Amino acid sequence: MPLPLASRLVRFSVPVLLALGSAACSRAPKVDRPSPATAPAIGMERTDASAPPAVSFERQAAGSSFRLVFHAAPLANLVYQLDCMAGRHPCSRAAFESLWRNDLGWNDEDEAALADWRELRARFQGVEARGPGATPAPPLPLPRTDRAASTRLAVAGLVARTPQEHIAQLGRITSPADARRVQAIADHFRPRFDAYWAREGRALCERSAEELASLFAREDLTAYIERAARFYEANLPEGTVLDFHLMARPPHRSINAAHQLGSHAVVEVLEGEPAKDRAPVVVHELFHHLFAAAPDERLAALQRAFLDSNDPVAIPSHALLDEALATALGTAEVSRKLDPTHYASLFAQPGGLYAEETIDRVAKALEPFVEARLAEGGTLHGPGFVEGYLAAVRAAYPAGLPPIAHVRPLVAALEPAFWGAFEALDGISMASSLGGAAASDRLDAPETMDMLASHRMWGAAFFVTPASLHRLARFTETLGDATLQAAAAEVRRGQPFVYAVQRSPGVYRFVFVAKDTATMGRLVRALSQQKTPFEGSMALVERPAVKP
């Protein structure tokens, strides 16, 4: 999505986490605008909002403590597709765009309706629904997805079974006018979606629900999940219902996606994909919820153990922890249980368990440690876990984690022209998904200084031109005098560069200096390809054009 160059400060807090074979979509920035007093008419054909959608469908797999429910619901699928195409969550965006553009008659009115949908949803991006007496933000992000208003918006579309229910659910989070407007947009798309659902979407989701519920019961996966809940010290009462919302994904040459929203997992299903191949993703997503369901004080104490270790790999490893555990205990262990041969193949392949390299390598090194700890009845929060986990990280990366791992989470200050470079760094590093990302293009504004000061344990990046490097002098506390002097010396050499400095163990600052956006983008790619940590300058040597 093209990004405006207007002055702005954006905070992404998108704690959606990617499962095996999934990919992130672009994210819409938070936009603060007043809600309209009334919901304007769309002026396009639409079904009556009172008309019920097709009947929803569910199947269950019950354990001794938990009940897993697999849902196949048309309204949830429609809302998911619109959120996906609007860039609201990790999803197979190209697949759904292809479906609508090639099969469902996408037109200019649809484009305008989707833009309106995106704006309405973006009003609540990153707004945390915190109760009275909330404590100050911790030094590093904690998994509190179910407290975010953006999560509650998405869940409203998952649990509602009728348009009226959807409006009522949304109205608890948004204004009544906005709730009606969101449903009016969904109604605009419903006639064509309903035809697709009747033709193929319904059968695919219902069959997947049947097969997954049967597999979980037959292979006793629910009992394994209950053991894992004890490992995570998840604070879930007896009889807890864990919901899995299945989304029909049309055929397309792109990879599938899944993500967790509090106790609700969203899993795309594909025609012809065996349930045993999708089950590891289902469990992987659920384990993100188990991680976040531990008491706040346990999660805070675990974070403090990382911070107090003074180990250079501790802070970037904390950002990997949730995803590495879900991959080791969910993707790997369930794959091994259901298909040992396939598991061995995945384990042997780079990126076999997870598409992102650092998560894949750390999860593979971690698996023996957490498997033994689970078997012994140990927990994530018990003595010795942090030490054992960091040992696994060092085994995966003996020379240290690569620089890209040190911008998770990420805070940035930049010139307005370089928003694209920031978003490229955020996307490559998965910073928004692995904790959060915040950025401002108001280099001289007090709120930018406050933002950096309140995120001093986050990785930081600065994007400026050589002529504007002097504007970073106000960030001496964050960067240090020596860094600014060294960067100024690099500017005199005349090459674009990234300057890296480790201000405390594992906490890096990166200064990107380039004259134009294209060169800045190349600097970001160059940093992402750097395999070992470094301090000092990494120059981008521009090769002269070859004359014909």
Side-chain angles (χ1 to χ4, degrees):
M1 180 176 66
L3 294 169
L5 299 183
S7 175
R8 66 186 191 184
L9 185 147
V10 173
R11 286 187 177 88
F12 296 124
S13 182
V14 190
V16 291
L17 296 158
L18 307 184
L20 170 67
S22 62
C25 293
S26 59
R27 290 164 296 280
K30 178 179 180 293
V31 180
D32 293 308
R33 295 190 180 94
S35 299
T38 59
I42 289 181
M44 296 172 275
E45 85 282 8
R46 48 176 287 194
T47 58
D48 181 358
S50 64
V55 177
S56 61
F57 178 94
E58 65 182 41
R59 287 293 181 266
Q60 303 182 16
S64 60
S65 302
F66 302 151
R67 185 160 52 92
L68 278 58
V69 182
F70 298 89
H71 301 273
L75 182 57
N77 268 257
L78 173 57
V79 171
Y80 177 83
Q81 290 188 13
L82 295 177
D83 271 345
C84 175
M85 293 188 292
R88 294 289 301 171
H89 51 59
C91 61
S92 299
R93 185 172 182 171
F96 293 110
E97 287 178 341
S98 176
L99 169 70
W100 280 92
R101 295 186 187 284
N102 298 328
D103 298 338
L104 301 184
W106 190 264
N107 56 44
D108 290 344
E109 290 181 333
D110 297 335
E111 199 72 53
L114 185 64
D116 200 3
W117 177 280
R118 181 184 294 113
E119 179 183 342
L120 287 163
R121 305 295 256 186
R123 291 175 186 174
F124 294 86
Q125 178 71 17
V127 178
E128 192 171 72
R130 304 178 73 183
T135 57
L140 296 171
L142 290 175
R144 291 172 171 165
T145 60
D146 55 342
R147 303 178 198 183
S150 56
T151 295
R152 294 169 62 204
L153 277 178
V155 170
L158 297 176
V159 301
R161 292 295 175 259
T162 67
Q164 295 92 335
E165 285 183 14
H166 192 211
I167 292 170
Q169 292 278 354
L170 289 173
R172 298 169 186 167
I173 310 158
T174 73
S175 70
D178 279 358
R180 291 192 297 271
R181 179 63 178 164
V182 167
Q183 183 56 48
I185 297 170
D187 289 339
H188 161 69
F189 290 98
R190 266 181 56 193
R192 285 167 290 166
F193 171 82
D194 285 348
Y196 160 75
W197 182 255
R199 186 176 70 245
E200 54 189 282
R202 177 177 181 173
L204 171 57
C205 286
E206 292 184 1
R207 184 168 59 252
S208 297
E210 291 268 18
E211 292 173 353
L212 284 166
S214 176
L215 178 72
F216 272 67
R218 185 174 68 251
E219 299 293 340
D220 213 17
L221 291 180
T222 308
Y224 175 67
I225 290 168
E226 291 172 343
R227 285 175 55 213
R230 292 190 288 273
F231 166 81
Y232 281 106
E233 298 186 28
N235 187 20
L236 299 176
E238 196 85 9
T240 289
V241 175
L242 301 168
D243 295 288
F244 300 87
H245 303 271
L246 306 183
M247 304 298 163
R249 179 195 181 277
H252 191 267
R253 295 188 64 180
S254 58
I255 52 181
N256 280 5
H259 64 278
Q260 190 77 26
L261 295 162
S263 64
H264 297 264
V266 181
V267 182
E268 294 178 5
V269 291
L270 186 65
E271 189 67 50
E273 182 181 45
K276 68 179 180 61
D277 290 349
R278 208 61 185 144
V281 176
V282 171
V283 178
H284 176 118
E285 291 307 317
L286 173 59
F287 283 3
H288 292 312
H289 174 53
L290 299 185
F291 184 95
D296 282 359
E297 60 270 18
R298 297 295 273 167
L299 291 167
L302 179 66
Q303 182 182 109
R304 178 52 56 189
F306 278 84
L307 292 168
D308 291 346
S309 72
N310 288 319
D311 188 322
V313 302
I315 289 177
S317 297
H318 181 270
L320 292 172
L321 176 61
D322 186 9
E323 203 63 60
L325 281 172
T327 303
L329 290 175
T331 307
E333 287 298 299
V334 175
S335 294
R336 180 163 62 178
K337 179 178 178 64
L338 297 179
D339 191 340
T341 302
H342 183 53
Y343 159 79
S345 172
L346 293 175
F347 198 91
Q349 297 171 25
L353 293 179
Y354 200 102
E356 198 280 327
E357 180 189 292
T358 57
I359 296 168
D360 184 68
R361 287 175 61 174
V362 169
K364 289 171 179 175
L366 180 63
E367 187 187 3
F369 171 68
V370 291
E371 181 189 3
R373 198 169 178 92
L374 188 66
E376 294 164 0
T379 74
L380 167 62
H381 301 277
F385 176 82
V386 171
E387 295 80 0
Y389 171 66
L390 293 180
V393 174
R394 284 191 292 272
Y397 286 94
L401 285 162
I404 204 72
H406 291 274
V407 292
R408 304 165 178 160
L410 171 64
V411 61
L414 56 139
E415 292 186 74
F418 295 135
W419 274 107
F422 162 73
E423 298 226 343
L425 181 61
D426 180 29
I428 293 169
S429 67
M430 292 174 54
S432 289
S433 294
L434 298 177
S440 172
D441 63 9
R442 299 195 283 267
L443 289 175
D444 302 320
E447 58 263 36
T448 304
M449 294 284 292
D450 293 343
M451 180 185 71
L452 286 157
S454 63
H455 296 85
R456 63 184 184 85
M457 302 307 292
W458 291 31
F462 299 81
F463 300 86
V464 295
T465 62
S468 297
L469 181 66
H470 68 278
R471 297 179 67 189
L472 300 187
R474 65 186 289 108
F475 300 107
T476 301
E477 184 177 343
T478 300
L479 291 168
D481 283 327
T483 301
L484 292 170
Q485 292 169 11
E490 287 298 321
V491 166
R492 291 192 287 272
R493 297 177 189 272
Q495 295 285 357
F497 66 92
V498 183
Y499 194 92
V501 60
Q502 185 176 201
R503 292 287 285 165
S504 59
V507 181
Y508 279 75
R509 279 75 177 93
F510 298 93
V511 180
F512 294 78
V513 181
K515 292 180 179 179
D516 55 71
T517 57
T519 306
M520 192 66 84
R522 290 196 291 274
L523 279 176
V524 170
R525 289 192 295 275
L527 183 76
S528 72
Q529 294 163 6
Q530 180 70 22
K531 298 300 183 185
T532 56
F534 71 95
E535 290 190 79
S537 178
M538 182 182 74
L540 185 65
V541 179
E542 301 283 15
R543 295 184 176 88
V546 178
K547 294 182 179 179

